[in-house]
Amino acid sequence: MKEFSLYANFVDIAGKGIYPAKITVAEGKIKKIEPTSDVVEHYILPGFIDAHIHIESSMLIPTEFARAAVVSGTVATVSDPHEIANVLGKAGVEYMIQNARKSPLKFNFGAPSCVPATQYETAGATITADDIDELLSRPDVKYLSEMMNWPGVIYDDPEVERKLAVARKHKKPVDGHAPGLTGDMALAYIHKGITTDHECYTLEEARFKLDNGMKILIREGSAAKNFDALIDLVDDYSDRLMFCSDDKHPDDLMEGHINLLVKRALAKGKDLFKVLQIACVNPVFHYSLDVGLLRVGDPADFIIVDNFHDFNILQTWIDGEKVAQKGESLIFPAPETEAPNQFYVSRKKILDYSFATKTRLVHTIKVMDKELITGSAVERIILTKGSKGHSNLAIDVLKLVVVNRYKEAPVAIGFIEGFGLTRGALASSVAHDSHNIIAVGATDSAIWKAVGAVMDHKGGLCATDLTGLILLPLPVAGLMSLESAEKVAAQYQAVDRFAKKMGCTLTSPFMSLSFMALLVIPSLKLSDRGLFDAERFQFIDLNA
């Protein structure tokens, strides 16, 4: 790799200054940074880092995620392979690592701490403390990823204790996941060595955790959007904040990534150097990442932007190689043919989706747009001949089902309000965290058709109104496509439009649907084993 120089206004984040400079790169590293009197137009600064993301939620394999992300100035991610691990175990983690190695983007994977996420659902695999020990012994596995089992941490669950001990042994940080947790329970959680939380949704909660030693990730994803609630933390806590997306759907990724959060923060009048410290610097030190910060001797990982108002990414460089220029990725596609998966169940019958009851009143999940948390209510359903309970479209109460994809089992049935469907059904094999098949619909026949299509393709997103059907196939673990980022984004937009055409009022229908089985987020969710109260951590009767 030959030596070359660039001239730009150097953004010195640590020194809080900007000056014209000649930056010399040799052998993929920063060789010299020299002030110059030359008049230069653009600005050079470190690249952006997503400090917590599940690559699987983009529905793209890592190499395709990278092709899309570098256009927005992303040079690295802190990636939790928790989703594919719940389907395929350690083999899924290895798949992500090996595929990521084909890309210049710096993926930094963690060891999934909660597989299965809880004992109240059926996952495809288990990752033990011994497995985590093996993973964390590797230099390319940087941290113990989000410890969602906060009750296990607080109340000294033996297996959780072993996992935390393994992280201490390898001197690697432990990510947290404790939405809404404050007070003495939060203190107990923090004191066990949990270093971060990306689940804060109020300023008060985030400040409490920051004041007691945690680092907080400001999250803005496709479903959970906490930027507006938390961005004022920048003024006083810039040394302990990071930006993350957590879950990013493919069409959103094509629109932008961490760069959008930087631009929004600056538009709100936040200090440039504080914002860039959050977006570029803090993750490097917290996770000990091999990512350059535009210092002499660092890997040549940087971006060039036009100005701090428009903040257009003109170029992205990783290890001294230009990987994006003016909205175009320069990374060549890396074709992948391997599609590991687990689908061991057969198609259900329509009658399997029926609900027998003698009461019209049921506990319902209340979906909240742009949030992972849900509410709960008691609503009236339609009761037909044979005491069969059905959706009540008049009050927007729809049937919700979860179908076990790993073994033959009865269909779990619940009811949900807030989706707005007036006909048809949506189904998905992306259902956090165990990724059984989840579906919501106006009628049993529509649910049967949508779930059947997902099963036939061994994974995907489906929308049908019984007269038409659109499906985005996800052959890799039922979570990711082997197609290009551009094609997957277009397919996702098509199925999203179809869902909204059937009346769905949510911003991201499939992202919201995927979280209705996430038992570690309050308050009411649906497991493959039944309706679950995530605040009391127990199953409840569907009948009210």
Side-chain angles (χ1 to χ4, degrees):
M1 187 182 296
K2 67 179 183 179
E3 181 175 309
F4 64 91
S5 297
L6 297 169
Y7 291 82
N9 291 297
F10 174 67
V11 181
D12 180 1
I13 299 174
K16 295 181 171 54
I18 301 173
Y19 55 86
K22 175 185 176 183
I23 296 91
T24 302
V25 176
E27 301 301 322
K29 295 185 181 296
I30 304 295
K31 183 177 180 181
K32 286 188 285 188
I33 300 174
E34 302 169 284
T36 177
S37 58
D38 294 350
V39 177
V40 291
E41 181 180 2
H42 300 137
Y43 298 81
I44 187 169
L45 58 147
F48 300 131
I49 301 169
D50 190 328
H52 177 78
I53 186 168
H54 305 280
I55 301 299
E56 305 96 309
S57 291
S58 70
M59 301 175 212
L60 305 172
I61 56 177
T63 49
E64 279 301 312
F65 177 94
R67 288 186 60 246
V70 293
V71 172
S72 299
T74 302
V75 300
T77 65
V78 179
S79 308
D80 179 3
H82 169 91
E83 314 304 342
I84 197 168
N86 267 278
V87 178
L88 298 169
K90 280 197 305 178
V93 177
E94 188 64 32
Y95 175 88
M96 299 296 281
I97 292 172
Q98 293 303 322
N99 184 264
R101 284 178 177 168
K102 301 176 183 179
S103 169
L105 191 139
K106 297 185 174 182
F107 292 96
N108 297 278
F109 289 102
S113 67
C114 298
V115 178
T118 73
Q119 61 182 327
Y120 304 103
E121 58 196 304
T122 305
T126 298
I127 289 185
T128 67
D130 289 339
D131 295 328
I132 290 172
D133 194 5
E134 181 182 331
L135 287 168
L136 289 181
S137 69
R138 299 172 55 155
D140 55 356
V141 179
K142 299 291 187 178
Y143 66 107
L144 181 62
S145 52
E146 53 184 313
M147 179 52 74
M148 295 182 291
N149 186 2
W150 62 261
V153 174
I154 293 171
Y155 299 115
D156 302 323
D157 177 274
E159 183 67 4
V160 171
E161 284 288 302
R162 287 187 65 208
K163 292 174 180 178
L164 296 177
V166 166
R168 290 193 296 270
K169 167 187 166 184
H170 292 284
K171 296 182 172 58
K172 294 186 176 179
V174 181
D175 270 5
H177 173 119
L181 197 68
T182 59
D184 289 343
M185 288 195 294
L187 290 175
Y189 186 67
I190 295 166
H191 291 162
K192 288 294 184 70
I194 313 301
T195 62
T196 69
D197 199 352
H198 60 276
E199 292 287 347
C200 294
Y201 48 86
T202 69
L203 205 58
E204 295 72 25
E205 176 193 354
R207 280 181 173 147
F208 179 89
K209 289 173 176 174
L210 283 161
D211 289 340
N212 285 283
M214 265 191 165
K215 294 176 182 175
I216 296 300
L217 281 59
I218 298 177
R219 172 179 62 186
E220 190 78 354
S222 293
K225 299 180 182 294
N226 309 123
F227 177 91
D228 288 331
L230 302 181
I231 192 59
D232 284 341
L233 295 169
V234 170
D235 299 331
D236 299 319
Y237 298 98
S238 60
D239 60 329
R240 302 215 299 283
L241 299 175
M242 294 173 259
F243 287 133
C244 79
S245 55
D246 197 3
D247 296 287
K248 193 83 167 170
H249 267 185
D251 57 332
D252 287 340
L253 181 63
M254 300 297 286
E255 293 297 318
H257 197 193
I258 300 301
N259 62 313
L260 299 182
L261 304 190
V262 171
K263 187 174 179 179
R264 285 173 62 184
L266 296 178
K268 286 182 173 288
K270 301 306 177 186
D271 179 81
L272 170 68
F273 298 106
K274 289 182 177 181
V275 172
L276 294 181
Q277 180 178 359
I278 295 165
C280 312
V281 178
N282 291 346
V284 173
F285 291 113
H286 182 75
Y287 293 102
S288 301
L289 306 181
D290 184 26
V291 178
L293 293 175
L294 268 183
R295 301 170 302 186
V296 173
D298 275 5
D301 306 326
F302 56 84
I303 60 176
I304 296 176
V305 304
D306 55 355
N307 57 68
F308 299 128
H309 174 70
D310 300 309
F311 221 99
N312 293 310
I313 310 297
L314 303 180
Q315 295 178 7
T316 304
W317 294 73
I318 299 176
D319 286 331
E321 294 283 352
K322 189 193 301 183
V323 293
Q325 179 161 318
K326 293 184 178 179
E328 296 292 330
S329 179
L330 303 181
I331 300 176
F332 289 108
E336 178 68 75
T337 57
E338 185 182 358
N341 209 333
Q342 275 211 79
F343 260 90
Y344 294 141
V345 296
S346 56
R347 257 184 177 260
K348 301 293 183 182
K349 300 175 182 177
I350 292 180
L351 285 176
D352 292 324
Y353 299 100
S354 65
F355 170 59
T357 179
K358 292 184 179 180
T359 175
R360 294 178 184 271
L361 295 178
V362 295
H363 292 287
T364 60
I365 300 169
K366 295 184 70 171
V367 64
M368 299 181 185
D369 198 19
K370 302 179 184 179
E371 293 287 354
L372 305 190
I373 59 172
T374 59
S376 61
V378 173
E379 299 290 358
R380 187 177 295 272
I381 58 173
I382 302 297
L383 200 60
T384 59
K385 184 178 179 181
S387 296
K388 302 297 184 184
H390 297 277
S391 300
N392 188 344
L393 302 186
I395 57 172
D396 189 24
V397 173
L398 301 171
K399 184 173 286 186
L400 181 73
V401 305
V402 175
V403 181
N404 190 315
R405 66 183 274 195
Y406 304 109
K407 63 181 182 181
E408 296 292 348
V411 174
I413 296 173
F415 289 89
I416 191 166
E417 52 185 305
F419 262 85
L421 288 176
T422 57
R423 65 186 189 279
L426 313 177
S428 173
S429 58
V430 179
H432 306 282
D433 278 319
S434 294
H435 300 294
N436 292 295
I437 306 172
I438 191 167
V440 60
T443 64
D444 291 357
S445 56
I447 291 172
W448 171 81
K449 185 171 183 177
V451 172
V454 170
M455 294 174 73
D456 289 346
H457 286 81
K458 306 298 184 187
L461 311 182
C462 178
T464 181
D465 62 0
L466 291 179
T467 61
L469 183 147
I470 294 183
L471 183 130
L472 164 55
L474 300 173
V476 181
L479 301 173
M480 293 171 284
S481 172
L482 291 173
E483 301 289 353
S484 70
E486 294 82 0
K487 183 173 182 178
V488 176
Q491 290 176 313
Y492 175 76
Q493 287 176 331
V495 74
D496 180 79
R497 284 194 300 268
F498 200 101
K500 291 170 180 173
K501 184 179 177 182
M502 295 189 299
C504 188
T505 54
L506 298 173
T507 303
S508 299
F510 284 95
M511 183 66 87
S512 293
L513 179 62
S514 73
F515 287 111
M516 293 306 103
L518 184 55
L519 308 189
V520 295
I521 300 287
S523 62
L524 203 58
K525 297 293 169 67
L526 185 65
S527 157
D528 67 286
R529 293 167 51 192
L531 195 61
F532 189 78
D533 184 329
E535 294 180 325
R536 292 183 288 172
F537 250 61
Q538 64 185 38
F539 291 104
I540 65 170
D541 195 330
L542 178 54
N543 293 303

